[in-house]
Amino acid sequence: MKKSLADRIEQYLKVLIERSEDKQIEIQRAELAETFSCVPSQVTYVLNTRFTEDEGYLTESRRGGKGFVRITRFHFESDAAVLPNRVELMRYLEKLMEEGIISQSEQGMLNHLIIYAFRDITVDQRNRLFKSLHHVLTDYFNQTGQS
Amino acid sequence: MKKSLADRIEQYLKVLIERSEDKQIEIQRAELAETFSCVPSQVTYVLNTRFTEDEGYLTESRRGGKGFVRITRFHFESDAAVLPNRVELMRYLEKLMEEGIISQSEQGMLNHLIIYAFRDITVDQRNRLFKSLHHVLTDYFNQTGQS
DNA sequence: TTATCAAGGTCAAATAAAGTCAAAGAAGGA
DNA sequence: TCCTTCTTTGACTTTATTTGACCTTGATAA
């Protein structure tokens, strides 16, 4: 398969990320485009198609003067430790759904929150929060008489 | 990240604040501008964008002779400092409910979580989490096509 | 009490990034 | 070939920063 421009930019960025100390790099979109002699939006395209959350990447950016794009590869390894708690919490939500206490869309929303809203904190704290969430939800549904 | 002037002034001030006895400093706008060889309004800009209440800072000032700008970082002993973020997030949920994106009971459940599930962590982290929650919810409802 | 001057504040223009979106082109598969 | 999907491009949009002209406020000397 012949490598497309997008493929080459992807590879270039991934090498940089893997070499970096903290699996995180910052680039300037226009500058990178310059390097590959393409339009800046090409870089955006690569980011959108190859550095998605699903692939384990987080991208942030700032516009305006001295703007940048930061790409972080998050470590699934370190996530391992939270997994039990996360899975436990998600399983609980599933149960709530099966019992008709929450709807399917509510389950979806909460799952989404669980996956994406707690990335920025330590594993330790995530664990505690997941437990806390479980607990508080249980309380809540007991109070409200449901279940 | 290539630091913008605003970034550098921000950092400078934050270091001063953290070093200070009472997390509070007083500066002269013009003098600081002089230090960074920029116009005074640049300092105002930094204050407005980086030392907001949401970020946990309070700024006061006096014009005229012997004028000053005082920046205080609130001491996160109480919940006071999270209040803005919590209120903001709850207001957002209210809006979602009014727009029919979430139901009243969903709003109730999420509010409950907000109030009770994050008690055990530092105010600082709670602030970040509330912002993250807001962000992730917005993403979620955009993706799912609602609103 | 008033005039003067020394602060800080406001606002909008100029500039510097990055993002969006849709059209056009290329590659691959049925 | 024809259809679908992925890539490339560029015009236009949004956001962040920097700068400067002009405004407001407060202290103090006359």
Side-chain angles (χ1 to χ4, degrees):
Chain A
M1 170 188 55
K2 187 155 178 307
K3 285 246 173 61
S4 65
L5 214 203
D7 289 335
R8 283 185 291 121
I9 296 175
E10 174 192 9
Q11 193 167 36
Y12 176 80
L13 290 175
K14 287 188 170 168
V15 167
L16 285 189
I17 293 169
E18 291 315 313
R19 275 191 196 158
S20 71
E21 186 64 35
D22 49 358
K23 308 300 177 212
Q24 172 172 299
I25 60 171
E26 269 171 23
I27 58 162
Q28 303 226 238
R29 190 181 77 144
E31 195 185 278
L32 182 59
E34 182 69 26
T35 304
F36 283 89
S37 310
C38 63
V39 295
S41 54
Q42 176 74 296
V43 174
T44 305
Y45 173 72
V46 171
L47 258 23
N48 291 338
T49 56
R50 275 106 159 139
F51 291 87
T52 64
E53 285 184 356
D54 282 1
E55 320 249 350
Y57 293 91
L58 173 69
T59 74
E60 304 162 277
S61 65
R62 194 161 78 192
R63 303 184 182 189
K66 297 291 193 302
F68 61 86
V69 174
R70 179 186 304 140
I71 313 171
T72 311
R73 157 164 191 152
F74 41 87
H75 291 215
F76 287 120
E77 308 76 81
S78 74
D79 265 19
V82 231
L83 223 73
N85 285 293
R86 170 184 291 169
V87 164
E88 217 283 311
L89 182 52
M90 285 178 153
R91 199 163 283 153
Y92 173 65
L93 291 177
E94 201 177 355
K95 204 193 77 190
L96 289 179
M97 199 271 281
E98 281 163 2
E99 289 175 3
I101 293 167
I102 62 174
S103 69
Q104 194 162 7
S105 81
E106 283 164 359
Q107 187 200 356
M109 179 187 66
L110 291 171
N111 271 156
H112 188 87
L113 288 184
I114 288 167
I115 294 171
Y116 296 112
F118 302 92
R119 287 181 156 173
D120 214 24
I121 59 177
T122 69
V123 171
D124 215 41
Q125 256 150 348
R126 228 175 314 175
N127 267 316
R128 284 198 290 141
L129 280 172
F130 285 163
K131 281 185 194 166
S132 173
L133 281 166
H134 188 145
H135 191 84
V136 170
L137 277 173
T138 305
D139 273 7
Y140 181 73
F141 290 119
N142 281 339
Q143 266 177 32
T144 18
Q146 293 162 81
S147 175
Chain B
M1 170 175 59
K2 274 186 195 153
K3 290 253 175 61
S4 64
L5 215 203
D7 290 333
R8 284 184 289 119
I9 296 175
E10 174 192 9
Q11 193 168 35
Y12 175 80
L13 291 173
K14 287 188 169 167
V15 166
L16 286 188
I17 293 169
E18 291 315 312
R19 277 193 194 154
S20 70
E21 187 63 36
D22 49 358
K23 308 299 177 214
Q24 171 172 300
I25 59 172
E26 265 173 30
I27 58 161
Q28 304 231 236
R29 191 180 76 144
E31 193 185 281
L32 182 58
E34 182 67 27
T35 304
F36 283 89
S37 310
C38 65
V39 295
S41 53
Q42 176 74 289
V43 174
T44 306
Y45 172 73
V46 171
L47 259 24
N48 290 338
T49 56
R50 274 107 159 140
F51 291 87
T52 64
E53 211 174 282
D54 271 17
E55 320 254 350
Y57 293 91
L58 172 69
T59 74
E60 304 160 277
S61 65
R62 197 161 72 200
R63 303 184 182 189
K66 298 287 192 315
F68 63 86
V69 174
R70 179 187 307 143
I71 313 171
T72 313
R73 156 156 201 153
F74 354 127
H75 235 72
F76 289 136
E77 286 315 314
S78 75
D79 264 19
V82 232
L83 223 74
N85 286 293
R86 171 184 291 169
V87 165
E88 217 282 314
L89 181 53
M90 286 178 153
R91 199 163 284 154
Y92 173 66
L93 291 178
E94 199 179 356
K95 205 193 76 190
L96 289 179
M97 197 271 281
E98 280 165 2
E99 289 175 2
I101 294 166
I102 61 176
S103 69
Q104 196 162 6
S105 81
E106 283 163 359
Q107 189 200 353
M109 177 189 66
L110 290 172
N111 271 159
H112 188 86
L113 288 184
I114 288 168
I115 294 170
Y116 297 109
F118 301 92
R119 289 177 146 174
D120 215 23
I121 58 175
T122 69
V123 172
D124 214 37
Q125 253 148 352
R126 226 174 313 171
N127 266 314
R128 285 199 291 143
L129 280 173
F130 285 164
K131 280 188 192 167
S132 174
L133 281 167
H134 187 144
H135 192 85
V136 170
L137 278 174
T138 305
D139 273 6
Y140 181 72
F141 289 120
N142 279 339
Q143 267 176 32
T144 17
Q146 291 163 81
S147 175

